Amino acid sequence: MKGRRCPVLGAGIAAATLMIGTVPSHAQDGTAQGAAPPRDAVVEAQSPRQVRVARPEQRLTDHDRSPDFGPEKPAPSSPAFRNQPDEGRMLGFDFARDPLNAKKPMQTFDEIMRADIAAKPKVMQTQRALLESRYDLAPRFHPEARMTRGKPVPVGPTARLARGVSWESLGAMAPEEIRTRGLFPYPSLPHPKQVAGGQVFPQMQIDMFPRLERFDVEFDLPDAFLPEFPPAIFLQNRPELGDVSRGEVVSINNFHRLFKDLLTPVQLDGLRLLLTPAPQEEFNATDDRKSPQPVLGVACLDCHVNGHTTGQFHLSPDIRPQERRFRLDTVSLRGLFNQQIHGSKRSLRSVEDFTEFEFRTAYFNGDAIRAMKKGITIFDRIQVSHMAQMQNMLDFPPAPKLDATGRLDPAKATEQELRGEQIFYGKGRCGSCHMPPAFLDHQMHDLHVERFLDEPPDGPIKTFTLRGIKESPPYLHDGRLLTLEDTVEFFNLVLRLKLEPPEKEDLVAFMRQL
C-alpha cells in the first residue's frame, strides 16, 4: 500500500536487526537504558553466519556447481522406459517438489517470487482503490476516549453511502430494495490477494519484526483503525497490577524477565511455547512460502500480540474452494477463560483442541497434507495444556463503570451511557447475544446478510465478546466495520432496528465502557 520494497530481499534476514522495544533499566540481560535493543532470538536461531572461506573444503568445485542435480538430469534406471508413457518421467506437478499454485511443473521459487514482487504494486493499488470506494479512510478520533495505553479511539461511521442516500433513508428500505439497488454499505472485506491468502501483518509490527514481511502483499487498513501496538496485558491471577506489559511486545527474548514473578512454571512454559515459531502456510522453510528467506514459521503470539491482536488477518480454514474462503480478522485472547467455543465456524469446544488442530493443519488452512510438507507440528497434550493454562490467564481490560454483574453503576455512568445501556438490552437487541458479564452467549448465529447484497451467505459464525471492545477495531469476523459507529449502523440495517441518530450515539457511548 505504501509502495515499500521488501527490505530483506537484498541483505537477507540474517542481516536484519529486529527491535523489541526499549529495554528497561532493570533488565537482567545486561542491556543498559537507551542502548540498542538486542536482536530477535528467532532470527538468530534460524540464520547462519557468513564466515571467511579459508579451508580447501569450503571452496566450491565444478562438481558443486554442476547442473546434474536438477530434476530433469537423472538417467532412467532402465532403458525400457523409452517405450513407456512419457519415458517414465513425471512431467506434471509433483506435490513434494513444486510450490503451491505454481503455474507450471518445476517452476522455481525465485521465478514465483520475482513474479509476485512485480505484481505486488498492482495488487495493493487495486485493494486501495476498493477500500477508498467504500470508506472514508481519513481517520477521526473521539476527543476523550482512549485505549489502555493511550491510543485514540477512531470514530465513524466511515462507510460511504450512495449519492442521495442517508442512513435514515437506508434504514427505512426493505432488504430486497437495498439488494436490488446495490446500496448495502458493508459488503464483505476481501483479502488483498485471495489466490494466495494467508497471514498478513500490519506495517507497525513488521517494522519491529521484519521476519513477518511478505513479498507478495501488504497490510491494507490504516493504523488508525487498528488496536494499540504494543497492546496492554491483563492477568486474571494478578488483577491488582493492571497492565503488565510494561510497554513491551512480549517475545522469546523478554518473556521470562517480564513474567517469572507473575506466572507459575507451567504458565511460563506455556508462554514460551506460544512465543515459539512453528511452520505455517506462508512462513516456512520450503518453497511453499511468501517470505524471502526460509524461516522457522510464526508463533501464536505473533498474531495474538501480547495475548490481544493488532488486526492481522488471514483466510477462514473451514471453507473450500479457495474463492469461497473469507477473510478473518485476528481475535483477542483476552477473557479466553470465559469462552466455551473457539473458531469462527468450527465450534471447537476447548482451546486445547483448537491449538492441536491448528498446528496439525498448516496453521489456519485446514489442510494436513500441506502441513506435512511444510513441517507438521504435533505437540504433546501436556504441552498443549500448558499453552492453554497461559491463555486462560489473560483477562479483559478493567471496566470501572461496570458493577460485578456487568451492568453500569448509575453512580459512575453518564446519562448518555445509561440511555445506551437501555438501548443495548432493549430496542437494540444487542443483549440477546452479548450477555454480561463476558458479553457473549457461547453460541453461533447466522445474520443472513445475503438478504442485503449479492454475495454468498456466511452461515453461522460464533458470537464474539464485547468486553473491552473499544480496543479491538476493526469489527465483525472479516474486519469490514472500521469503527463502533459502523458496527451500530451495520446491525441497525441487518436487524431492522430503526434506531434514531441519538440512540445510535448513546449505544456507542455505552459500548465504550464495556
Side-chain angles (χ1 to χ4, degrees):
M1 297 298 291
K2 306 179 184 66
R4 294 171 53 91
R5 65 180 179 84
C6 188
V8 293
L9 285 178
I13 287 183
T17 302
L18 304 183
M19 303 302 176
I20 61 166
T22 301
V23 179
S25 57
H26 62 267
Q28 298 184 13
D29 58 6
T31 305
Q33 179 84 31
R39 292 177 179 268
D40 183 350
V42 173
V43 171
E44 292 286 357
Q46 66 190 16
S47 303
R49 296 185 178 182
Q50 298 296 321
V51 297
R52 187 169 61 93
V53 177
R55 301 187 306 276
E57 66 271 22
Q58 292 177 278
R59 298 186 178 94
L60 298 182
T61 66
D62 291 341
H63 173 74
D64 297 327
R65 300 186 181 94
S66 168
D68 293 342
F69 298 99
E72 297 174 329
K73 296 299 183 181
S77 60
S78 171
F81 295 162
R82 296 192 191 100
N83 300 318
Q84 292 187 9
D86 296 330
E87 297 186 354
R89 295 181 181 275
M90 181 179 288
L91 302 179
F93 285 95
D94 184 326
F95 173 79
R97 177 195 65 211
D98 296 309
L100 179 67
N101 201 37
K103 304 306 180 187
K104 60 182 180 181
M106 289 182 275
Q107 186 175 15
T108 67
F109 171 79
D110 287 340
E111 289 178 294
I112 293 172
M113 182 168 68
R114 284 196 298 269
D116 280 346
I117 291 173
K120 181 177 177 180
K122 181 66 163 67
V123 168
M124 299 316 301
Q125 180 184 8
T126 300
Q127 184 75 352
R128 180 76 183 186
L130 176 70
L131 293 175
E132 289 181 341
S133 71
R134 294 184 179 184
Y135 304 104
D136 178 0
L137 295 177
R140 293 174 288 126
F141 300 103
H142 191 276
E144 298 176 357
R146 297 290 185 272
M147 301 180 197
T148 296
R149 298 195 57 81
K151 183 173 183 177
V153 173
V155 299
T158 63
R160 298 186 187 276
L161 298 181
R163 182 173 297 178
V165 175
S166 67
W167 291 109
E168 289 71 29
S169 64
L170 196 61
M173 294 181 191
E176 296 75 18
E177 182 181 3
I178 294 175
R179 177 181 173 127
T180 301
R181 296 176 60 184
L183 297 177
F184 191 67
Y186 298 110
S188 61
L189 181 60
H191 194 291
K193 195 171 185 181
Q194 182 74 18
V195 68
Q199 296 179 348
V200 183
F201 295 85
Q203 191 61 48
M204 58 187 176
Q205 187 173 359
I206 291 172
D207 289 342
M208 187 175 286
F209 299 102
R211 61 184 168 83
L212 299 176
E213 184 164 23
R214 291 173 56 161
F215 54 71
D216 64 328
V217 72
E218 291 179 357
F219 200 85
D220 53 358
L221 297 178
D223 290 353
F225 300 106
L226 302 181
E228 295 180 305
F229 183 79
I233 305 173
F234 305 95
L235 298 178
Q236 53 105 333
N237 61 333
R238 294 295 304 274
E240 78 279 7
L241 293 176
D243 174 20
V244 298
S245 72
R246 284 166 270 186
E248 298 190 48
V249 175
V250 179
S251 70
I252 204 71
N253 297 66
N254 61 10
F255 81 97
H256 193 265
R257 166 173 57 81
L258 291 174
F259 293 103
K260 63 183 179 181
D261 296 317
L262 305 181
L263 300 174
T264 69
V266 165
Q267 294 158 3
L268 274 174
D269 186 55
L271 182 55
R272 174 187 65 82
L273 291 165
L274 291 167
L275 292 165
T276 300
Q280 187 270 340
E281 188 79 279
E282 292 75 37
F283 297 89
N284 59 77
T286 76
D287 290 344
D288 275 359
R289 68 176 193 270
K290 296 302 180 183
S291 60
Q293 302 291 331
V295 292
L296 293 172
V298 296
C300 298
L301 296 196
D302 280 335
C303 282
H304 301 283
V305 175
N306 285 10
H308 189 45
T309 173
T310 49
Q312 308 87 340
F313 60 84
H314 52 91
L315 289 182
S316 167
D318 317 288
I319 306 170
R320 293 297 187 277
Q322 184 77 1
E323 60 269 29
R324 275 292 278 117
R325 300 173 68 185
F326 55 73
R327 174 169 170 159
L328 271 182
D329 182 64
T330 297
V331 299
S332 176
L333 298 182
R334 292 173 176 177
L336 194 71
F337 59 88
N338 237 343
Q339 300 179 34
Q340 296 177 10
I341 62 174
H342 306 277
S344 59
K345 300 288 287 180
R346 284 165 292 176
S347 191
L348 295 167
R349 296 313 170 107
S350 74
V351 68
E352 290 90 345
D353 287 344
F354 182 88
T355 301
E356 261 194 279
F357 183 80
E358 291 298 356
F359 276 114
R360 286 206 310 268
T361 57
Y363 222 145
F364 301 128
N365 278 283
D367 192 329
I369 297 174
R370 276 149 59 177
M372 284 185 277
K373 177 181 180 180
K374 299 167 193 298
I376 193 167
T377 303
I378 301 179
F379 283 113
D380 184 270
R381 194 69 177 187
I382 294 176
Q383 293 176 305
V384 171
S385 69
H386 288 190
M387 298 164 78
Q389 285 288 316
M390 179 61 233
Q391 292 175 85
N392 285 327
M393 289 299 107
L394 298 168
D395 205 354
F396 298 116
K401 293 188 179 182
L402 297 184
D403 64 19
T405 67
R407 301 300 294 261
L408 280 179
D409 183 342
K412 298 179 180 178
T414 67
E415 290 297 323
Q416 184 183 38
E417 292 159 359
L418 290 169
R419 291 195 303 269
E421 183 180 46
Q422 291 180 341
I423 296 167
F424 186 89
Y425 294 106
K427 185 177 179 181
R429 295 163 57 189
C430 314
S432 61
C433 296
H434 299 280
M435 298 180 291
F439 290 88
L440 76 166
D441 63 356
H442 312 291
Q443 294 188 39
M444 302 177 70
H445 300 274
D446 189 348
L447 296 174
H448 297 289
V449 180
E450 68 274 11
R451 292 172 294 155
F452 296 85
L453 75 172
D454 186 19
E455 290 185 0
D458 289 329
I461 295 178
K462 81 167 188 175
T463 302
F464 295 92
T465 176
L466 295 187
R467 273 286 281 114
I469 193 62
K470 76 177 189 294
E471 304 200 5
S472 299
Y475 305 108
L476 212 65
H477 61 273
D478 58 3
R480 73 180 75 176
L481 310 175
L482 302 189
T483 67
L484 285 175
E485 287 83 359
D486 289 293
T487 306
V488 169
E489 296 291 359
F490 173 86
F491 280 96
N492 186 52
L493 292 173
V494 170
L495 299 182
R496 315 278 291 142
L497 301 175
K498 301 189 183 302
L499 295 175
E500 299 294 333
E503 294 175 317
K504 297 174 185 177
E505 295 174 5
D506 295 346
L507 184 55
V508 171
F510 168 67
M511 288 194 290
R512 288 199 186 106
Q513 305 308 315
L514 297 182

